[in-house]
Amino acid sequence: MPKLEKSKPAPSTIEQRKHSHLELCARAPVEHVGKTTLFEDVELIHNALPDLSWNELDTSLEFLGKRLRAPIVITGMTGGTGDAFAVNRDLATVAEELGIGFGLGSQRAMEAEPSTAWTYQVRDFAPSTLLLANIGLTQAAQHRPDTIEALVRAVGADALCVHLNPAQELIQPEGDRDFRHGTATFARLAQSCSVPIVAKETGCGVSPEVAHRLVRAGVRVIDVSGAGGTSWVKVETLRADGRGRRLGETFQNWGIPTAAALASVRDCGAVLIASGGIRSGLDMAKALALGATLCGAALPVFRAYRAGGKEAAANLIQDLIRGLKTAMLLSGSRNLAELRSKPVVVGTQLRTWIEALRKTVR
């Protein structure tokens, strides 16, 4: 296995930042205010005569070679500290028990200091779980493919999320400012990596123009991660001082609403993950009907875990599944394929977004 290269910033700086992110997400107002996912602008059509039994509803699917019992992934949150390991271990255990996916937080800390690798190694706790590795696009652009491959192999992941977060980086005091060569990096990774590449935004959404560029680069899975849930610009604004805080306050609601991102990229040729403000089973059902194959959630799962441990996190996910199944029965959908084929009613605001976004395609 190639050795992991070390890079800056220093591990202590990353560790402090990771701890700060966890604490802010646990207790601070980090979600968008004034901008929603626009799932409220989507309606499924009621079926008063579904001819279905609750017990025959099927929420299972195949995704990236793994069989999931429900279309949910706990999306990446953290890593690099002892506290982060506890979160990763416990939530990966929940994912294993419930038959859903689990994503690791950014492995930047692991890349910068390989001694932190243990904080990401959860495969022993989740041997059959769909496990997603994670690295930022800027970091991926700075390293050889074999270095990135080593990060994936070290955690036994089934796929690699390469996350896009330019808005967060611009507000983060120690963030990156150079976002060149991103498309070329995706093309290189798609060609060289032994596992599938997932292009993942982090709360600002993916436009059709970007989605088509990713597909042309060889990416086959996109997590649109739209606006309306956690705002990482807002997280970094809470960490910033003075000028940085003022800039963050200006851009804290930046982004494409999740429903708008989904609806506008559904025909781009990629398999879609919907994350960013997924807060109920009904949100999940609407996301699937708009073109998603899988739904991701992080903040509500983490907050439930912080409040009541693994049991509370598992209960929240089971509530999501129960809500999804309710929407399936009420729309006359026996399985996820039938739900994805259902027509939806789209409101004026979402329609306006979709029309504008589709004009971005070159």
Side-chain angles (χ1 to χ4, degrees):
M1 179 189 302
K3 291 183 178 180
L4 299 178
E5 300 172 349
K6 294 184 181 181
S7 70
K8 300 298 181 180
S12 59
T13 301
I14 295 175
E15 182 174 354
Q16 292 165 3
R17 184 165 70 246
K18 295 299 182 184
H19 178 74
S20 174
H21 285 166
L22 279 180
E23 291 307 308
L24 287 170
C25 286
R27 57 181 173 78
V30 296
E31 295 177 275
H32 287 86
V33 175
K35 175 169 283 184
T36 74
T37 61
L38 289 185
F39 283 126
E40 73 276 10
D41 225 16
V42 180
E43 295 285 348
L44 293 166
I45 297 174
H46 176 59
N47 186 330
L49 190 64
D51 283 332
L52 288 174
S53 163
W54 180 271
N55 291 331
E56 65 182 311
L57 299 175
D58 182 7
T59 62
S60 67
L61 75 159
E62 292 279 343
F63 192 83
L64 298 180
K66 291 293 180 77
R67 189 73 181 171
L68 305 182
R69 296 205 295 270
I72 305 175
V73 58
I74 301 173
T75 48
M77 286 181 259
T78 192
T81 70
D83 288 346
F85 169 70
V87 174
N88 284 333
R89 175 198 63 206
D90 289 350
L91 293 183
T93 301
V94 170
E96 178 75 15
E97 292 172 351
L98 298 181
I100 63 173
F102 180 74
L104 294 166
S106 172
Q107 290 170 259
R108 185 177 187 178
M110 177 178 168
E111 170 264 319
E113 184 48 67
S115 66
T116 66
W118 67 277
T119 68
Y120 299 89
Q121 290 169 342
V122 300
R123 186 50 96 184
D124 287 346
F125 308 97
S128 66
T129 295
L130 171 70
L131 181 62
L132 307 178
N134 189 330
I135 192 68
L137 179 59
T138 303
Q139 286 70 58
Q142 295 169 352
H143 295 286
R144 301 191 313 269
D146 60 345
T147 299
I148 305 304
E149 180 78 18
L151 291 172
V152 176
R153 291 184 178 277
V155 297
D158 301 297
L160 172 64
C161 288
V162 180
H163 67 260
L164 311 168
N165 65 338
Q168 178 188 5
E169 294 288 346
L170 289 174
I171 306 306
Q172 187 179 102
E174 61 276 65
D176 294 312
R177 298 294 185 269
D178 186 349
F179 306 103
R180 293 173 296 174
H181 314 301
T183 304
T185 299
F186 271 111
R188 185 174 71 248
L189 290 174
Q191 187 173 41
S192 65
C193 199
S194 64
V195 298
I197 302 299
V198 179
K200 174 181 171 48
E201 235 294 340
T202 52
C204 289
V206 173
S207 69
E209 188 271 332
V210 169
H212 281 84
R213 269 199 286 145
L214 288 167
V215 170
R216 289 195 296 270
V219 174
R220 293 294 174 259
V221 183
I222 298 174
D223 182 345
V224 301
S225 190
T230 303
S231 166
W232 281 97
V233 169
K234 198 165 185 178
V235 172
E236 298 300 348
T237 300
L238 292 170
R239 295 182 62 240
D241 294 318
R243 182 175 295 170
R245 176 161 291 206
R246 291 193 297 273
L247 184 64
E249 288 170 349
T250 300
F251 285 91
Q252 62 185 347
N253 284 321
W254 181 265
I256 304 167
T258 301
L262 268 178
S264 65
V265 306
R266 65 181 304 166
D267 298 323
C268 71
V271 176
L272 301 178
I273 301 173
S275 69
I278 299 290
R279 298 293 183 262
S280 70
L282 182 55
D283 286 343
M284 291 177 58
K286 291 177 179 180
L288 295 168
L290 287 174
T293 296
L294 200 67
C295 296
L299 185 68
V301 180
F302 175 61
R303 286 184 168 174
Y305 168 74
R306 269 293 183 93
K310 290 188 292 183
E311 182 179 359
N315 286 339
L316 183 140
I317 292 166
Q318 288 167 338
D319 285 345
L320 291 176
I321 297 170
R322 191 173 298 111
L324 171 62
K325 292 179 70 174
T326 300
M328 289 172 65
L329 193 146
L330 292 177
S331 63
S333 306
R334 188 182 311 272
N335 52 45
L336 299 179
E338 290 187 7
L339 177 59
R340 283 195 293 270
S341 71
K342 296 297 181 183
V344 296
V345 179
V346 175
T348 302
Q349 188 175 3
L350 179 54
R351 190 179 302 112
T352 300
W353 264 100
I354 294 169
E355 290 172 358
L357 285 167
R358 285 177 175 166
K359 293 177 182 177
T360 68
V361 180
R362 296 173 182 172

